[in-house]
Amino acid sequence: MTDPISSHRDGEVLVVVSNNPPVNALGQAVRAGLKREVEAGLADDSVKAIVIRCDGRTFFAGADITEFGKAPQGPSLPETLDAMEASDKPVVAAIHGTALGGGCEVALACHYRVAVPSAKLGLPEVKLGLIPGAAGTQRMPRLVGAEAALPLVVGGDPISAKKAQSIGLLDAIVGEDSLEADAVAFARSKIGQSVPRASEGTRNQDGVRDPDIFDKFRASQARKIRGFDAPNAAIEAVKAAGELPYAEGVKKERELFGKLMSGTQSAAMRHYFFAERAANKIDDVPADTPLIPIKRVGIIGAGTMGGGIGMNFLTAGIPVTILEMQQEALDRGAKTIRKNYENTAKRGRMTEDAVEKAMGLLKPTLDYSELADCDLVIEAVYENMDVKKQVFAKLDEVVKQGAILASNTSYLDIDEIATATKRPGYVVGMHFFSPANVMKLLEIVRGRETRHDVLATVMKLAKTIGKVAAVSGVCPGFIGNRMLSPRQQQANALIMEGANYWDIDDVLLEFGFPMGPFQMGDLAGVDIGWHRDPNRIETLRDALCAAGRWGQKVGKGFYDYDEARNRTPSDETRQIIADFAAKEGKPQREISKDEIRERLLYPMVDEGAKILDEKMAQRASDIDVVWINGYGWPLYTGGPMFWADTIGLKTVVEGLEKHGLPVSDYLRRKADAGERFNA
């Protein structure tokens, strides 16, 4: 292997360069080379200063994640950085691209930091269930203060070079195209001066003077960090930087890091990190498959879903033609899109110019023929097979050959929809989740005849519009809704047997979901799909709707709601459920939270096993990607299939049997063999 670290001289300045594509990850060879070159520079009397920079598209973008879980190989990053910081000769980090994680820790251990205007710096370890492990939580607050350090260490999002300079993380912003020359000149200007070391900084005293900084920050992030171990450990580490001497603070950081590294949450979040990348790969579609150029997208339906789908493409700069049957519906749809963009601009997430640019790419129409030149048309009409087939037959007549025809169906058979066309190979499912302009998941449904170039194109397009995509085969409900179905069946069965519906919701909230099934029903509208006849009461939902309990929008559904939409259990709902259970002859009993959790979640795992057995999902981790991004499954458990691996498939099988629920052959075989879903 070629040595990734080299060096050259610019007068009395030694320039140390890393060339370890694609992101200059700090693997063993990089650490060893960095330590070697810096030590050589320190030992050479003719070297008066050192600059560290990287070739390629970025500065060190973090640790080599493939080394996680393996026996460590020296030198460690902390010892490499300590040796660098101990130098009496000025060491300057010259940053372009991103300085993330271990890369940011390298920069912190240098005496000075300069960067190009487009650079970003951050400590994203928390996103892998960890905290920085090379003194980042100790150097950062000492350099910039606890208040400025907390969002970086606890939130994990990178900041711009301008922001980094404003908090004292960067010493200078240099020319975009003259990084090395400017960094060398900066280093030269510091020769002979005593060097500032981040480990000796005192700006962390803000947290000592005002200890409320930590509680206020924790409270401000409460919703975001609920259930996660790493953010709380990160707060503890930053606090320790003000309470302990540097060496003891580093020891505390290592202790917190080690605990997280060996815990289930970090294992789950690292699993998800790789799962999201694996989901992009379709096993039998070659990586070099030629893509279909997508220059204009057509959308049928300007309602909530169609408009939301359209916004994804408009935001990405792709022109959209949106079709409706009535002028009023078309105007309403375009108005809603504009209003959504303007609200985004009011929150400072978009400029007024960007709003106008996006709206300028929108072409509303009532005429199908206006879709003729679209490269992709997405149908987002009523979830009815006959209606969808009529739409696809019409598209087949008017849209140019070679264009992709996609359905946003959440449940229906893509292969049957494709029979309405003479080009089934160009038909694919693109299941967006509501609200479509916000939710990250895009389920790509592969029909029996869907072509390789069509699949490859929509997968690439998903990334362009900021979605996380996963491929499903054709089956009722695909991956996500298919697994949701048994959970809902059990939730409904449990309330008939005597479980409180608020306990069912609370069990899922405690597990880490943003809401439970009955909260979700109220939010969506209990009356969705109701037959509207108050005298025809065949189900519990019919009974609730007949009583006018239609959900949050009318202030009462399963729950009663106040003006702020806070929920409280309803006596009326409780009585309706009791009456319905009596009518059905269901005996009532006390049901524990453990039983509720097992009966809600274990059948989902079993359904996931069937999906794998039927090859409706390529890999177990794809199912995890779907559930984390589309349904709020807590990231820190790694998704339903990884969670099942964590608690043991035998536990799942025994739980299903205990509650008299079916166990699929695939799940039983795996459990009997002591295997996992995820290798």
Side-chain angles (χ1 to χ4, degrees):
M1 174 186 159
T2 318
D3 193 327
I5 302 290
S6 62
S7 66
H8 59 269
R9 290 285 289 273
D10 188 329
E12 68 271 65
V13 178
L14 177 72
V15 181
V16 179
V17 183
S18 173
N19 184 11
N20 185 35
V23 294
N24 284 301
L26 288 154
Q28 190 274 333
V30 173
R31 298 192 302 271
L34 199 54
K35 188 164 184 277
R36 179 193 69 233
E37 294 299 328
V38 169
E39 283 174 348
L42 297 181
D44 186 339
D45 290 342
S46 67
V47 170
K48 306 296 183 190
I50 299 171
V51 167
I52 296 172
R53 72 160 186 84
C54 296
D55 276 342
R57 56 191 168 98
T58 184
F59 193 69
F60 304 107
D64 186 343
I65 196 169
T66 61
E67 291 185 352
F68 283 12
K70 295 179 183 170
Q73 278 188 290
S76 70
L77 189 57
E79 71 177 275
T80 303
L81 301 190
D82 288 348
M84 202 159 72
E85 192 189 44
S87 160
D88 287 326
K89 299 176 183 181
V91 181
V92 179
I95 301 163
H96 76 296
T98 53
L100 299 179
C104 188
E105 289 179 297
V106 170
L108 285 166
C110 292
H111 306 123
Y112 302 98
R113 289 149 294 282
V114 303
V116 298
S118 61
K120 285 185 162 46
L121 295 88
L123 293 166
E125 286 87 348
V126 72
K127 294 179 189 291
L128 292 176
L130 298 168
I131 60 170
T137 69
Q138 300 306 298
R139 286 190 176 104
M140 182 70 83
R142 285 173 165 81
L143 183 67
V144 305
E147 193 165 11
L150 281 167
L152 280 162
V153 181
V154 182
D157 292 327
I159 57 172
S160 66
K162 189 177 174 185
K163 173 72 173 171
Q165 187 180 34
S166 75
I167 64 173
L169 178 53
L170 279 184
D171 297 287
I173 294 177
V174 299
E176 194 73 54
D177 300 315
S178 53
L179 175 59
E180 182 175 319
D182 290 351
V184 167
F186 183 93
R188 206 168 266 134
S189 74
K190 301 298 178 184
I191 292 171
Q193 299 178 23
S194 60
V195 296
R197 297 181 175 91
S199 63
E200 296 168 358
T202 57
R203 290 189 64 188
N204 56 333
Q205 291 305 302
D206 61 342
V208 177
R209 287 190 302 272
D210 181 11
D212 281 355
I213 282 174
F214 301 98
D215 290 337
K216 282 179 193 161
F217 182 79
R218 186 182 270 110
S220 74
Q221 301 296 304
R223 194 169 166 197
K224 202 172 172 185
I225 67 178
R226 180 175 74 93
F228 287 89
D229 294 338
N232 287 303
I235 294 170
E236 200 181 329
V238 173
K239 198 173 182 189
E243 294 172 343
L244 301 173
Y246 177 73
E248 285 182 41
V250 170
K251 195 175 165 191
K252 178 72 174 171
E253 178 192 270
R254 291 306 301 168
E255 179 190 307
L256 290 165
F257 178 88
K259 194 173 171 189
L260 291 169
M261 188 64 164
S262 60
T264 57
Q265 284 202 4
S266 180
M269 291 167 77
R270 281 179 275 134
H271 158 76
Y272 176 75
F273 177 87
F274 289 112
E276 192 179 302
R277 281 144 190 80
N280 285 316
K281 299 179 180 74
I282 308 171
D283 291 344
D284 61 335
V285 176
D288 59 354
T289 300
L291 303 181
I292 299 166
I294 305 294
K295 293 175 184 164
R296 176 171 284 276
V297 173
I299 294 174
I300 301 173
T304 304
M305 184 54 87
I309 293 170
M311 286 179 73
N312 291 300
F313 295 99
L314 296 172
T315 304
I318 300 170
V320 169
T321 301
I322 196 160
L323 173 84
E324 260 295 351
M325 298 299 101
Q326 305 292 331
Q327 188 67 49
E328 186 190 354
L330 191 63
D331 292 344
R332 189 167 58 244
K335 194 175 168 186
T336 301
I337 291 172
R338 176 174 282 281
K339 188 178 167 192
N340 286 340
Y341 275 134
E342 285 172 349
N343 286 339
T344 304
K346 274 180 199 162
R347 290 193 295 270
R349 294 181 191 160
M350 198 175 187
T351 64
E352 291 296 338
D353 283 351
V355 172
E356 295 309 320
K357 190 178 173 190
M359 290 306 297
L361 295 170
L362 180 66
K363 181 180 176 184
T365 184
L366 298 172
D367 185 356
Y368 259 99
S369 66
E370 296 275 1
L371 300 171
D373 64 340
C374 291
D375 304 294
L376 163 68
V377 180
I378 303 169
E379 158 279 306
V381 302
Y382 183 61
E383 193 78 339
N384 174 283
M385 181 58 82
D386 292 337
V387 172
K388 290 193 188 282
K389 284 170 85 169
Q390 285 167 21
V391 167
F392 272 77
K394 183 72 177 168
L395 290 176
D396 204 39
E397 289 171 21
V398 300
V399 180
K400 67 182 181 183
Q401 290 301 310
I404 300 170
L405 307 182
S407 174
N408 177 53
T409 180
S410 58
Y411 199 85
L412 299 175
D413 186 332
I414 291 292
D415 290 329
E416 187 177 341
I417 292 171
T419 63
T421 76
K422 296 184 188 72
R423 47 174 127 172
Y426 286 91
V427 175
V428 68
M430 291 179 75
H431 178 207
F432 288 82
F433 285 68
S434 187
N437 54 311
V438 176
M439 292 293 282
K440 296 288 283 182
L441 181 66
L442 179 58
E443 257 185 330
I444 307 284
V445 187
R446 178 182 194 169
R448 188 169 46 242
E449 295 190 53
T450 304
R451 293 163 52 108
H452 283 183
D453 56 351
V454 169
L455 266 179
T457 299
V458 292
M459 289 299 282
K460 176 71 168 60
L461 196 57
K463 203 173 272 188
T464 304
I465 62 172
K467 298 298 183 195
V468 175
V471 177
S472 171
V474 176
C475 57
F478 315 126
I479 293 170
N481 284 343
R482 177 171 168 179
M483 288 171 66
L484 186 63
S485 184
R487 189 183 88 178
Q488 194 60 49
Q489 285 167 12
Q490 285 303 306
N492 293 339
L494 281 159
I495 56 172
M496 286 292 102
E497 294 168 33
N500 295 317
Y501 63 87
W502 58 91
D503 283 340
I504 292 170
D505 282 345
D506 286 349
V507 162
L508 290 187
L509 287 172
E510 286 160 18
F511 185 76
F513 280 94
M515 62 177 66
F518 301 107
Q519 285 173 280
M520 180 72 82
D522 278 358
L523 181 65
V526 181
D527 63 321
I528 289 179
W530 180 46
H531 49 63
R532 305 281 155 185
D533 180 356
N535 297 311
R536 191 175 128 209
I537 298 176
E538 296 162 358
T539 65
L540 175 62
R541 189 186 69 164
D542 292 345
L544 288 168
C545 289
R549 303 193 68 89
W550 294 1
Q552 272 193 29
K553 59 192 171 189
V554 295
K556 56 181 187 175
F558 280 93
Y559 297 92
D560 291 328
Y561 294 89
D562 63 16
E563 290 75 17
R565 296 206 170 189
N566 294 312
R567 65 187 170 107
T568 50
S570 158
D571 289 336
E572 185 183 16
T573 300
R574 209 176 311 189
Q575 193 56 53
I576 289 170
I577 292 170
D579 292 346
F580 210 84
K583 194 172 105 181
E584 297 271 301
K586 298 275 187 190
Q588 304 293 285
R589 63 186 176 90
E590 287 282 321
I591 299 177
S592 72
K593 286 198 167 187
D594 283 345
E595 180 178 342
I596 291 170
R597 187 177 58 256
E598 290 168 5
R599 284 179 59 182
L600 292 177
L601 302 183
Y602 290 178
M604 293 174 66
V605 172
D606 189 62
E607 199 64 42
K610 288 191 231 172
I611 287 169
L612 289 172
D613 194 26
E614 295 165 22
K615 299 193 169 24
M616 292 295 111
Q618 290 188 105
R619 49 188 84 85
S621 60
D622 285 4
I623 296 174
D624 293 331
V625 166
V626 166
W627 267 86
I628 284 169
N629 288 286
Y631 298 85
W633 187 287
L635 172 61
Y636 53 76
T637 69
M641 309 314 274
F642 188 84
W643 172 72
D645 287 340
T646 304
I647 63 170
L649 302 192
K650 197 164 184 286
T651 302
V652 177
V653 169
E654 287 168 355
L656 288 165
E657 288 175 339
K658 178 173 69 179
H659 301 302
L661 297 169
V663 179
S664 65
D665 291 342
Y666 186 82
L667 175 57
R668 194 181 294 281
R669 282 199 310 272
K670 284 264 183 199
D672 287 348
E675 293 175 357
R676 297 163 55 91
F677 289 126
N678 294 280

